[in-house]
Amino acid sequence: MADNLYEIDSAMNLIKEDIIRELSESVSRQNKNPYYSQPLSKNLSFSDKTLD
């Protein structure tokens, strides 16, 4: 029984590592999108920008 639990635990850890890797890659791809890399000032509303 303990052997089965060890195998299940190992398999779940591998699955968890795969999911974390996929999520990390997905976030990296999204961060390369030009929309996300705009300067912060372009994302501010009119009322948040300082007026000249």
Side-chain angles (χ1 to χ4, degrees):
M1 181 69 175
D3 289 339
N4 288 342
L5 292 176
Y6 179 77
E7 289 179 16
I8 292 170
D9 188 50
S10 296
M12 290 179 69
N13 283 334
L14 290 174
I15 293 168
K16 179 179 71 173
E17 289 172 5
D18 286 344
I19 291 171
I20 291 171
R21 186 180 315 106
E22 288 176 14
L23 287 172
S24 178
E25 290 171 359
S26 176
V27 169
S28 294
R29 281 191 302 271
Q30 286 182 355
N31 287 339
K32 290 180 183 178
N33 188 338
Y35 175 79
Y36 294 104
S37 63
Q38 290 180 349
L40 181 60
S41 62
K42 289 186 178 181
N43 294 330
L44 294 175
S45 69
F46 180 77
S47 62
D48 291 335
K49 293 181 181 178
T50 56
L51 300 175
D52 290 333

